[in-house]
């Protein structure tokens, strides 16, 4: 019988922290997304109920407000370990990509309201949540790729 044991591969030790970092980052991003979504949904429903605005305007204005909160939380909490060049480039790209995310949300809401002709509150919020889900997936991918880049080694 041999008492020699195989050691762990070197990749296991190196990937464990990266996996935990990814999971922590994803959960934090999700929390920020929930905060932004609550701002957007409550704001959209308030604007639609109290001000009687169009469904598209009711989505766009609160989404812009939640974008400001999202940027601050993402930059200084979720992606704090990633590089920032200190210029307006990061902010400009963040808001441009959020504009694409907003477009995705507006398209889903507009499709539900105008194309499908569903005008009730449940349908409105269903279209809103579908847009939020598709927009969030795009935002997470794009933030990691173009806004909050990995720290330089």
């Amino acid at each position: 019988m041999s008492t020699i044991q195989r050691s762990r591969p070197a990749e296991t030790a190196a990937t464990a922290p990266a996996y935990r970092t990814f999971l922590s980052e994803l959960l934090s991003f999700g929390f920020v997304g929930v905060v932004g979504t609550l701002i957007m949904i409550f704001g959209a429903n308030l604007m639609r109920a109290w001000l009687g605005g169009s469904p598209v305007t009711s989505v766009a204005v609160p989404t812009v407000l939640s974008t400001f909160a999202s940027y601050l939380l993402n930059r200084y909490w979720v992606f704090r370990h990633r590089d920032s060049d200190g210029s307006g480039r990061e902010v400009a790209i963040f808001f441009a990509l959020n504009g694409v995310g907003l477009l995705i949300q507006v398209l889903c809401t507009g499709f539900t309201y105008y194309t499908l002709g569903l005008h009730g509150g449940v349908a409105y919020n269903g279209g809103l949540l579908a847009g939020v889900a598709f927009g969030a997936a795009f935002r997470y991918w794009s933030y990691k790729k173009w806004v909050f880049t990995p720290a330089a080694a």
Side-chain angles (χ1 to χ4, degrees), residues 21 25 75 78-85 90 143-145 147-153:
T21 300
E25 192 176 87
R75 171 72 274 163
V78 178
F79 298 108
R80 69 185 173 276
H81 59 282
R82 292 179 176 253
D83 276 346
S84 175
D85 60 6
E90 179 180 279
Y143 291 172
K144 285 185 70 159
K145 183 161 181 71
V147 181
F148 305 114
T149 56

Side-chain angles (χ1 to χ4, degrees), residues 2-139:
S2 175
T3 58
I4 299 175
Q5 295 179 351
R6 290 192 304 179
S7 62
R8 290 185 194 159
E11 302 87 52
T12 305
T15 56
Y19 177 75
R20 275 185 250 140
T21 300
F22 168 74
L23 187 58
S24 172
E25 192 176 87
L26 187 61
L27 290 172
S28 299
F29 181 82
F31 179 76
V32 170
V34 167
V35 170
T37 300
L38 289 174
I39 291 169
M40 191 269 306
I41 287 177
F42 285 124
N45 281 289
L46 284 173
M47 284 189 69
R48 187 167 179 249
W50 287 354
L51 302 176
S54 79
V56 172
T57 304
S58 296
V59 171
V61 172
T63 299
V64 170
L65 295 175
S66 75
T67 299
F68 285 108
S70 273
Y71 176 76
L72 295 173
L73 288 169
N74 277 307
R75 171 72 274 163
Y76 296 108
W77 181 46
V78 178
F79 298 108
R80 69 185 173 276
H81 59 282
R82 292 179 176 253
D83 276 346
S84 175
D85 60 6
S87 71
R89 173 202 154 291
E90 179 180 279
V91 176
I93 292 174
F94 182 89
F95 280 91
L97 293 172
N98 262 284
V100 174
L102 172 60
L103 179 64
I104 292 168
Q105 286 175 222
V106 167
L107 287 173
C108 288
T109 304
F111 178 78
T112 303
Y113 192 85
Y114 295 112
T115 305
L116 298 179
L118 302 173
H119 300 273
V122 173
Y124 175 75
N125 283 298
L128 198 57
L129 289 175
V132 166
F134 289 128
F138 170 77
R139 285 178 179 112

